[in-house]
Amino acid sequence: MTGVQWVRGVRVGIDVGTVRIGVARSDPDGILATPVATVARAQSTPPDQIPSDMSEISGIVKDLEAVEVIVGIPVSLSGSEQQAAAVTRQYADRLATLLEPVPIRFVDERMSTVVATRRLRERGVRGRRQRAVVDQAAAVEILQSWLDTQRRRT
């Protein structure tokens, strides 16, 4: 993102999972990320149709008038991208066609779900309640980390 000027506006963070997708948003000043939704991942959609999860995310991005979408890329602890990262990039590429002209940016999401799970547990959220919101919490971690990095750069 070097050389890109900060534009005021809502950012949407996304944690792409195989079953669920966590969605978070920032305030227009890019200070705080908050949870928005957990979207069920469409398991089978004909190639000529838009998956329901992508339609729902596209609607959220449009409703929030987001200026950017931040997608977490699962990077291994060694820093390399494996199959899960390739799948996430493919998903984001397809989503990008629905979101144009809103750009998608990628960020290393290493440990975001682990951190989100730990924070939820510390707050007493466990079991089914935790599974229901852990994807949103991971999206918050992804987006907040990205926002904090951008603030340090300015």
Side-chain angles (χ1 to χ4, degrees):
M1 183 138 158
T2 307
V4 176
Q5 185 173 345
W6 177 264
V7 175
R8 188 175 189 277
V10 171
R11 269 77 180 171
V12 170
I14 298 178
D15 176 43
V16 179
T18 55
V19 177
R20 292 175 302 275
I21 300 165
V23 182
R25 65 165 290 169
S26 73
D27 62 287
D29 294 318
I31 296 170
L32 185 64
T34 55
V36 172
T38 299
V39 176
R41 180 94 184 250
Q43 296 304 312
S44 61
T45 304
D48 61 331
Q49 293 181 10
I50 298 168
S52 59
D53 54 338
M54 289 189 183
S55 293
E56 190 171 343
I57 292 168
S58 177
I60 291 168
V61 169
K62 288 178 177 126
D63 289 347
L64 294 173
E65 299 179 359
V67 297
E68 287 180 296
V69 173
I70 312 305
V71 175
I73 293 292
V75 178
S76 71
L77 291 176
S78 68
S80 63
E81 290 189 14
Q82 307 295 322
Q83 179 62 28
V87 170
T88 299
R89 285 187 185 278
Q90 288 172 346
Y91 182 90
D93 288 346
R94 187 164 183 200
L95 181 62
T97 62
L98 293 174
L99 300 181
E100 284 186 278
V102 178
I104 289 183
R105 310 228 184 269
F106 296 102
V107 64
D108 177 352
E109 71 153 30
R110 205 174 334 188
M111 305 298 287
S112 63
T113 301
V114 172
V115 171
T117 301
R118 187 180 67 230
R119 289 191 183 177
L120 288 170
R121 196 172 299 127
E122 288 168 356
R123 294 182 186 126
V125 180
R126 288 185 165 71
R128 285 187 181 178
R129 286 182 53 226
Q130 185 181 68
R131 280 192 302 278
V133 297
V134 71
D135 301 288
Q136 289 178 43
V140 167
E141 292 294 331
I142 289 165
L143 183 55
Q144 190 65 58
S145 170
W146 185 86
L147 293 169
D148 293 346
T149 299
Q150 300 316 301
R151 260 198 318 283
R152 283 192 296 270
R153 289 182 180 174
T154 57

